[in-house]
Amino acid sequence: MAAPRAGGVDDHRQATLLPAAVVAAGRRAEAAGFGYSSEPLTGRLLATLSAAVRPGGRILELGTGAGVGLAWIGHGLGARRDVQVVSVEQDEGLAAAVTAAGLPYGCKVFVGDAATLLAELGRFDLIFADAPAGKWTGLDRTIAALAEGGVLLVDDMDPRRYTEAEHVAVVDGIRRTLTGHDALVTTELPVGSGLILAARR
């Protein structure tokens, strides 16, 4: 197999490598003017982590958006029918559009504030924190919802993405909370939008 050109895979080839459901969700995001979808690198990691969820496990996504993250989760699960997927979105219109387009098997989208809903959703083996609620606010509730041995993936942690000093401070606070938490084993991945991966002991 030929090595990719220096500088990486070109945009057209990259697009052809994306799962069809991810491409469709990306088009939905464009049509809705939604510019906060997960990057392919984050999506591939999310798909890999989803594939590794224990039999009968549960996955939580905080921030459905246009459904790109859900599409990656569905890609990772493939034909599995033993995993429950829950996604939370505050925007009713986005949640309705994603639901109408078709959800991965065993998936349910809740409309509301993630930080508020977390207390009633139970515990999860994989949590993808991709919205301010449950990450910028209510991070303690997200950590509490992580089952023993569960994995938490947090994106958008590169402080260079932010211009406001208060936003940089919030991101640093999230990083310090996760890396300093006694119940978590954490690694920072300085790739893409800046990722933090944490596992509950």
Side-chain angles (χ1 to χ4, degrees), residues 147-169:
E148 185 176 336
V151 173
L152 170 64
L153 176 62
V154 181
D155 67 350
D156 300 333
M157 288 292 101
D158 184 347
R160 294 172 298 181
R161 293 173 58 85
Y162 305 95
T163 56
E164 300 288 335
E166 62 184 295
H167 295 167
V168 174

Side-chain angles (χ1 to χ4, degrees), residues 71-171:
W72 280 114
I73 290 169
H75 177 67
L77 291 174
R80 289 181 64 179
R81 297 291 182 265
D82 62 306
V83 176
Q84 181 187 20
V85 181
V86 173
S87 187
V88 180
E89 174 57 48
Q90 189 149 16
D91 186 307
E92 258 184 74
L94 284 172
V98 172
T99 301
L103 299 172
Y105 183 88
C107 176
K108 183 169 183 181
V109 174
F110 288 82
V111 178
D113 177 70
T116 301
L117 289 172
L118 271 165
E120 59 194 66
L121 292 176
R123 303 191 84 189
F124 295 87
D125 302 285
L126 172 61
I127 299 177
F128 178 38
D130 190 30
K135 179 166 57 177
W136 288 51
T137 60
L139 179 59
D140 57 331
R141 297 177 200 174
T142 300
I143 295 170
L146 195 61
E148 185 176 336
V151 173
L152 170 64
L153 176 62
V154 181
D155 67 350
D156 300 333
M157 288 292 101
D158 184 347
R160 294 172 298 181
R161 293 173 58 85
Y162 305 95
T163 56
E164 300 288 335
E166 62 184 295
H167 295 167
V168 174
V170 169
V171 168

Side-chain angles (χ1 to χ4, degrees), residues 38-85:
S38 303
E39 300 172 343
L41 178 64
T42 304
R44 289 192 174 90
L45 177 56
L46 180 59
T48 302
L49 294 171
S50 297
V53 166
R54 66 176 180 83
R58 303 181 76 218
I59 297 173
L60 172 64
E61 177 189 46
L62 300 177
T64 312
V68 171
L70 271 183
W72 280 114
I73 290 169
H75 177 67
L77 291 174
R80 289 181 64 179
R81 297 291 182 265
D82 62 306
V83 176
Q84 181 187 20
V85 181

